[in-house]
Amino acid sequence: MATAVHCFRQGGLVAFPTETVYGLGADATNAAAIARLYQAKGRPAFNPLIAHVGNLEAAMRLARFDATAIALAGAFWPGPLTLVLPKTADCPVADLATAGLDTIAIRVPAHAVARRILGAFGGPVVAPSANLSGHVSPTTALHVQSDLAGRIDLIVDGGAVEIGVESSIVGCFDTLTLLRPGGVPRGEIERALGRVVLQPPDHDDTSRPRAPGMLASHYAPRARVRLNAADIRAGEALLAFGPAALRGVDPATPVLNLSARGDLTEAAANLFGYLRALDASGARAIAVMPVPQHGLGEAINDRLRRAAVERD
């Protein structure tokens, strides 16, 4: 912990585990450190970052909370929910981290290692996923090393993460909006508030996203991803789900099953690690069996759709 805190205070970059995925951390008030973080990830500078803090009191120094935001924080913090809120007048987070927006994305993580680091540091830490921008998010320290070795200063190994997909992001605007599905299913958010949470309109401009993870092409392996596969084609690997296997799968085909028993929690935890493993198999494409849309399936399908976007 002391090494990580010292690194932050010197403007360094530290990868550490959260309950969702491994984050690449930097002092959120240090614009030079944040610029270095963007460079290390190859991340577009218009994509805002989430500020991680230790508790609600610290979050309220960064953003203005209304009754709805306080209710969400009370229900889900610490945990895998990010709130996008108006910045306070004296918010110390560097403008570079918020991509010049007048709002800020904030989360209180639940992972014991993350909480110890934040408590020892005493300030906000921006921490996007600890991978090259657009690549599959990391769920182990080894994943971080494979993407960022030589680009960052320290990796804190806390073992495999628990949830395996990023936090849900709720925009606390005039209309409460689920900007990104994630570790807290939509239904749980709606039950906590007793109201419907809307989605952004289809025409929302993701070239300048309002929150992290909203770029159209994101979480992308090198191999092409084919969704809702009902068969397997030559040269493809298979990302399966559930007990029913596809027909015509050659024994030599690389196959990983997100959850043979159809458990969406298990599937979320396995998603990024399995995408990485199948990408490393040398397959020209990854066929993905259908995943149910309910519960955590909404977040899983969101990540898979972004992974499948055609890239230049």
Side-chain angles (χ1 to χ4, degrees), residues 32-77:
I34 294 165
R36 205 182 142 218
L37 185 152
Y38 280 126
Q39 184 178 32
K41 279 181 63 69
R43 186 185 182 96
F46 50 74
N47 202 5
L49 305 174
I50 296 172
H52 294 68
V53 294
N55 51 49
L56 177 58
E57 181 182 6
M60 294 181 80
R61 291 194 286 269
L62 307 182
R64 302 197 306 272
F65 280 70
D66 60 13
T68 297
I70 290 172
L72 286 170
F76 299 110
W77 280 0

Side-chain angles (χ1 to χ4, degrees), residues 12-302:
L13 305 180
V14 178
F16 61 92
T18 76
E19 69 276 22
T20 56
V21 299
Y22 270 72
L24 178 58
D27 178 355
T29 68
N30 185 333
I34 294 165
R36 205 182 142 218
L37 185 152
Y38 280 126
Q39 184 178 32
K41 279 181 63 69
R43 186 185 182 96
F46 50 74
N47 202 5
L49 305 174
I50 296 172
H52 294 68
V53 294
N55 51 49
L56 177 58
E57 181 182 6
M60 294 181 80
R61 291 194 286 269
L62 307 182
R64 302 197 306 272
F65 280 70
D66 60 13
T68 297
I70 290 172
L72 286 170
F76 299 110
W77 280 0
L81 179 70
T82 293
L83 300 179
V84 179
L85 299 159
K87 291 193 289 190
T88 56
D90 57 351
C91 177
V93 172
D95 286 341
L96 185 61
T98 59
L101 302 174
D102 58 4
T103 56
I104 184 169
I106 308 178
R107 183 163 92 87
V108 178
H111 196 287
V113 172
R115 295 185 61 74
R116 286 174 62 197
I117 289 174
L118 291 168
F121 179 59
V125 170
V126 291
S129 56
N131 55 280
L132 292 173
S133 186
H135 283 198
V136 179
S137 296
T139 54
T140 68
L142 193 61
H143 293 162
V144 179
Q145 185 177 358
S146 70
D147 259 19
L148 298 178
R151 292 171 171 257
I152 64 176
D153 302 294
L154 180 68
I155 300 173
V156 179
D157 188 350
V161 303
E162 178 184 354
I163 295 177
V165 293
E166 291 86 349
S167 60
S168 302
I169 302 180
V170 172
C172 296
F173 311 130
D174 292 338
T175 301
L176 200 66
T177 307
L178 182 64
L179 296 173
R180 180 181 76 181
V184 179
R186 175 197 299 274
E188 292 186 20
I189 298 170
E190 293 179 337
R191 279 192 293 275
L193 296 176
R195 56 190 281 200
V196 171
V197 179
L198 302 179
Q199 287 183 276
D202 291 338
H203 62 269
D204 250 22
D205 179 13
T206 55
S207 66
R208 183 175 171 79
R210 289 185 287 171
M214 293 185 69
L215 291 175
S217 178
H218 209 61
Y219 318 105
R222 288 178 293 272
R224 186 173 58 83
V225 174
R226 183 169 66 89
L227 302 180
N228 298 315
D231 58 2
I232 187 78
R233 300 172 187 172
E236 289 186 328
L238 176 63
L239 186 64
F241 177 82
L246 291 185
R247 299 181 301 277
V249 179
D250 187 279
T253 298
V255 178
L256 289 172
N257 195 325
L258 290 170
S259 174
R261 63 177 187 266
D263 184 311
L264 289 170
T265 300
E266 180 184 23
N270 288 332
L271 176 62
F272 289 131
Y274 284 9
L275 275 174
R276 280 179 174 269
L278 292 177
D279 200 27
S281 73
R284 63 170 181 81
I286 301 171
V288 182
M289 289 176 61
V291 175
Q293 182 68 6
H294 61 80
L296 280 176
E298 183 177 17
I300 293 168
N301 283 312
D302 173 79

